[in-house]
Amino acid sequence: MPATDGPVQGPEKPHKEFIQKSSSLPFSQNIELPSIGGPTYSTTQTLVQQVAYTLSDRLWTYSPETFDLDVAVKSWCGDGAQNAHGYTPSVESMQTRQGAASIALGYMFSKDFDLEKKHIPQTVIASSSSLPYLHSALDQLSLLYSVANPFVAHVAAVGYAGGSSSLVTDYVSTIELAEDLGFALIASPSTHESQHMALLATLLASTVPTIHTYDGVTSGRETTRVIDVLDQARLFHDYSSMVESASSSRRRNAPIDVRVEGLLEAFNRELGTEYGLFEYRGHSSPDAVMVTFGTVESALSDQVASSLGKSGVRIGVLNVRIYRPFVEQEFLRLLPKSTKVVGVLGQVVDGEAVADSTIGSALYGDVVAAITFSDAFQTPPGVIDIKYSRETTWTPVSMAAAFQLMLKKPVMQGEESGATFEAGQNLRLLDSATVQQYAFWDKDDSPSSNAPLIFGSALARDSSNNVTTRTRHDNLTEGGLVKTEIRRSKQSVDAPYPIDAADMIYIGDAKLIDRFDIVQAIRPQGKILLKLPGTKDEELEKRLQEKFRHDISTHQCELFILDPSKVEKVSNDPVFETYLLQAAFLRVGLPNLEKIGLDKLASVNGSHDVLMDLAQQLEHALRKIEVPEDWNTAQAETDSTSSDLLADIESTSFIGFDKTDMEPPTHLKDWKTAARGLLFKEACGMKSALRPDLAIKTHTVSVIENRRLTPLTYDRNIFHIEFGLGETGLKYDIGEALGIHAENDELQVEEFIRFYRLNPEEIVEVPSREDASVLENRTVWQALMQNVDIFGRPPKRFYEALAEFADDPSEKHELQTLGGPEPEGATEFKRRAEVDTITYADILLEFPSAHPSFHDIVRIVNPMKRREYSIASCQKVTPNSVALMIVVVGWVDPKGRDRFGQATRFLNKLKVGAQVTVSIKPSVMKLPPKSTQPLIMAGLGTGLAPFRAFVQHRAWEKAQGKEIGSVLLYMGSRHQREEYCYGEEWEAYQDAGVITLLGRAFSRDQPQKIYIQDRMRQTMDDIIQAYLKEDGAFYLCGPTWPVPDVTNVLEDAITRDAKAIGKKTDPHKEIERLKDQLRYVLEVY
């Protein structure tokens, strides 16, 4: 560069920036619709969207925000890209809620619908977790399908496990929906076939509503090279040709299986493929055959069977491609006649269902029925149900363990241990000579966390490579982790399981080796690149866990240390760390390709000069460690450590946790600020509002009654409080809840103001938490009484935030420990929260050197939330009032201080005439549509509140001359004398013929405990009649503990009724069906 007289230029900044968009896109990058075709790097999710966008008139998408199932179609629609029909299809991103997909029905059957589009498919893109909400609308569609557009749903099998934050692959929901509604169901066994299967599903939709499902956790988001991708023009040509061919030969009145087989034949003729309804692979005369359905299940079972077959194991795999309709004749034709055992790899909901011998997988039921009623075998093979839960993560070893369940002899070298194998490391499906594998472990907020995707994208620039990348996030460990795996080969690679023999592993934080057994997934003599800034060689042994050192030695690994702090450019600007890592990974992992590799990397991200400069700096930042021989002598000490380490991260999200906390600034002002806003409202953009800090509609009501329902001598204070509505115009419906916008205790607020030396009249201006564009002027007194939850229970992040204000080093350290992830801090935090019930105010008192200003308190302390209580009155009966039934929450902490629930204490102290701010919250507790439908209600304690409203409403209907259904009311409490709340009312309603059955369970009034489920079981005949014979609705309100027992009673009633009429039924499924019909409703806490 020639010298100039101008200013000195700073360091060169990268001129190409790699910005991650979504893990559902290839290499997380946007892709243009016209560029998809021929050999293309893509993901299953992208190819599915390409087919849907190309062939559809409209797309309705039901994608949770972070799943990004529709990110490509929304981008293409926003850019105005046209479909194959010559216009931009509408992409409607919808909320997943009850009644979802009704808008699609409304569009298809609208009187204004363009009939020229009647032959064009309508498409839904959704996750399996959304299907229960689509059930009702899709049920209507199935009944009207003869006059509807072709309809296809592309369903990513993904959701969250019940009771946890783990992502799971969920086929159960899809299978159940297809079975219930008579939809066709087809699965993609791999990314390489996903476009074809999406096209086939769209073709099948010309004769039957169709669901196309695929793994939404693993292969659905894996970037890989697909050789024969059809572009838009070819998709439309082939689709149109197949529809025309099938239309000319198809008999519309033929059975569905005949029609589906005919369409599959037309599909294979057009594309030159050989897809089948079922596909068998394996030994020609197997002893055992495994039947599978699902993406990973099908691909991995094929590979494991092939590997085991090479060692003489006589096994095969029969993969189900088109599950609905289940064509038994074709299934039996492909099942080898030598088969002695058929193992059905069938998914069930959870571990409990796996352990429950009375629950079978749906696939097992289909296979058993096909074999049992067939005469194809002289001696029918035995059929075993190899159940697995949605949480299962399949690996080669766990799949081999599934095969072992069908065979007597061990299928692998080494001893068998239950369902796993001690010699699991011997099962390698990929040849390390032809496939290179790299794994990157890092914190998700690391400056170099995107380096693996950049590296994978750069490798893919070489047309001789076939590269596969997969990224997973664990947002619950170490503040957020990300793991990216890359496979590279000259041939296509389909390996939908974690890398178990990496050539090289990068570890971005030394803390990870204390949580995970990372070295177990590296091949012998593999390489480890560990980022460890500021550590000298003599300090290394102290920094590295003993087992980690031992495993490096026994695996004969090469260990390299990367120290970014040695490079001034990186120290000055952490953005350069990602380029340093890319250069280091090339030098360690692919030293022969370093020069050309830097050129490839520069074409993806950064610039050649920057990368070359940082590559030269590696002589300071990168060093190889000579592994001491004594690292191999710690086997005995590492045995116990081994069992405590995790094998892999747990996928909890598709994106990293957003750690930015964008709180609006808060400022203290004087009274003039408020006065200016009141005098010049229009100029200052001010308006008067009741509780302006609340985004919901509120009303001010007055107390007209507040009476205790339990005796003064009783330890539980349950009280009835009633509010007059006056001229508020407040309307509420049966089953809704009243939100109470309570205030903090006045004496406590005064005490805090004195202790913290605040001026109660000072004005604080703070943007609304609900809408940052709305500013609120409040005094410090008002803020503490109504806004700031200063006497609430603080989360861990409050300790972390408060530590920033501590002047005393010991207090700062203690706060950081309490707010940090370390075990000792977590244990103490739990004790403080659950035993001591510490409040924000307690902490500010305990740590006096941490004294944030009041505007910082408003920022770091949570706002007060409304508390909701089920309404215990019917407005048709009491049009000018609303009633609640509440128990005072109170306890004594370890210091002997009386503690109370904020809202119940506030309400209990209210006198007649006191005013309260309230709002209405909708509820699932709705009456059935017909007054003649029976009500079966079970309430514990204050759980009786909504049922008082239900009974009042039925009494009102009866008084109007309407016929009402029977009312069964079950109530539970400890003692009749003290807790028979509203007892006289219930008995009066029973005498009046409103309540049919009153089942009272007072658990402690007799030697043996009697609970609500016992009273229900004693009146089983009444429940069968009201609930099942007369289409009643069941409601349970109160604590969660009786739910399993109460549900068991209902399931027993279902089983008993079905047996009486000679009908076979699954009570679990029946309960789920009743849930969907809103006839099994729980409101528990």
Side-chain angles (χ1 to χ4, degrees), residues 176 179-180 360 362 1051 1066-1074:
E176 288 181 349
E179 182 179 3
D180 287 347
E1051 290 177 347
D1066 183 336
H1068 301 294
K1069 287 187 177 180
E1070 187 65 16
I1071 288 291
E1072 291 302 316
R1073 186 183 70 82
L1074 291 165

Side-chain angles (χ1 to χ4, degrees), residues 663-866:
E663 292 282 356
T666 306
H667 307 285
L668 284 177
K669 299 190 176 182
D670 57 24
W671 62 271
K672 297 176 184 177
T673 303
R676 189 182 306 116
L678 291 171
L679 291 172
F680 308 105
K681 291 182 180 179
E682 203 169 307
C684 297
M686 306 290 283
K687 63 179 181 179
S688 299
L690 172 66
R691 292 300 301 272
D693 52 309
L694 304 173
I696 51 181
K697 185 176 182 180
T698 57
H699 307 268
T700 299
V701 296
S702 301
V703 178
I704 58 175
E705 184 180 9
N706 189 346
R707 61 184 168 92
R708 181 165 175 152
L709 298 175
T710 54
L712 290 172
T713 55
Y714 191 53
D715 61 355
R716 298 189 77 215
N717 179 2
I718 301 175
F719 63 98
H720 170 96
I721 188 167
E722 197 159 340
F723 302 99
L725 305 183
E727 303 297 324
T728 62
L730 185 150
K731 301 293 182 184
Y732 61 91
D733 205 350
I734 294 293
E736 291 186 326
L738 190 69
I740 300 295
H741 302 272
E743 297 181 357
N744 278 320
D745 183 74
E746 186 173 339
L747 294 177
Q748 285 186 305
V749 169
E750 290 176 353
E751 184 180 344
F752 180 78
I753 287 175
R754 284 195 301 271
F755 145 68
Y756 214 72
R757 299 187 298 279
L758 294 171
N759 179 358
E761 302 303 320
E762 203 83 60
I763 303 295
V764 58
E765 182 184 78
V766 56
S768 168
R769 299 262 176 167
E770 303 291 339
D771 184 353
S773 65
V774 177
L775 295 176
E776 305 159 5
N777 283 325
R778 318 218 78 198
T779 67
V780 168
W781 169 265
Q782 288 175 321
L784 286 172
M785 285 294 294
Q786 299 179 344
N787 293 70
V788 184
D789 195 17
I790 197 70
F791 305 112
R793 189 175 300 181
K796 285 177 76 76
R797 67 173 181 273
F798 176 73
Y799 291 92
E800 183 180 9
L802 190 61
E804 299 297 322
F805 299 96
D807 297 328
D808 184 279
S810 62
E811 289 188 1
K812 188 182 203 66
H813 175 73
E814 186 174 355
L815 286 167
Q816 288 172 335
T817 301
L818 288 166
E822 301 304 325
E824 61 270 23
T827 301
E828 174 63 12
F829 170 79
K830 185 176 182 180
R831 184 189 65 77
R832 286 167 163 265
E834 298 178 4
V835 179
D836 296 344
T837 58
I838 295 293
T839 68
Y840 291 100
D842 292 332
I843 297 170
L844 291 169
L845 179 64
E846 181 182 356
F847 298 94
S849 82
H851 196 88
S853 64
F854 188 74
H855 73 268
D856 283 319
I857 285 179
V858 172
R859 180 174 59 84
I860 65 177
V861 174
N862 286 338
M864 290 167 62
K865 298 178 181 178
R866 70 171 177 174

Side-chain angles (χ1 to χ4, degrees), residues 21-190:
K21 298 292 184 181
S22 169
S23 64
S24 69
L25 298 169
F27 299 113
S28 295
Q29 301 293 286
N30 282 333
I31 184 169
E32 299 295 327
L33 183 60
S35 69
I36 302 177
T40 303
Y41 278 96
S42 190
T43 63
T44 292
Q45 196 60 49
T46 302
L47 292 174
V48 166
Q49 291 177 85
Q50 181 229 13
V51 173
Y53 193 89
T54 297
L55 300 179
S56 301
D57 170 46
R58 282 199 178 194
L59 295 92
W60 289 270
T61 65
Y62 297 88
S63 172
E65 185 177 357
T66 60
F67 285 17
D68 284 347
L69 304 179
D70 54 358
V71 65
V73 293
K74 288 194 293 189
S75 174
W76 299 333
C77 181
D79 292 341
Q82 294 188 344
N83 61 12
H85 306 287
Y87 59 89
T88 300
S90 175
V91 177
E92 308 285 350
S93 183
M94 311 300 295
Q95 291 184 344
T96 301
R97 58 186 180 185
Q98 206 67 41
S102 296
I103 188 173
L105 284 183
Y107 172 72
M108 284 190 278
F109 296 106
S110 167
K111 63 180 181 180
D112 299 323
F113 181 77
D114 185 353
L115 295 179
E116 292 185 1
K117 296 181 179 181
K118 202 69 177 177
H119 66 288
I120 302 177
Q122 308 294 338
T123 299
V124 161
I125 296 175
S127 67
S128 55
S129 59
S130 67
L131 292 182
Y133 302 95
L134 276 66
H135 189 286
S136 178
L138 297 184
D139 188 12
Q140 296 178 56
L141 175 65
S142 66
L143 298 175
L144 300 169
Y145 202 66
S146 60
V147 293
N149 290 67
F151 174 84
V152 60
H154 299 288
V155 178
V158 57
Y160 281 100
S164 81
S165 300
S166 301
L167 289 165
V168 297
T169 302
D170 174 21
Y171 294 115
V172 174
S173 300
T174 311
I175 292 171
E176 288 181 349
L177 183 88
E179 182 179 3
D180 287 347
L181 304 185
F183 279 35
L185 176 59
I186 181 172
S188 286
S190 72

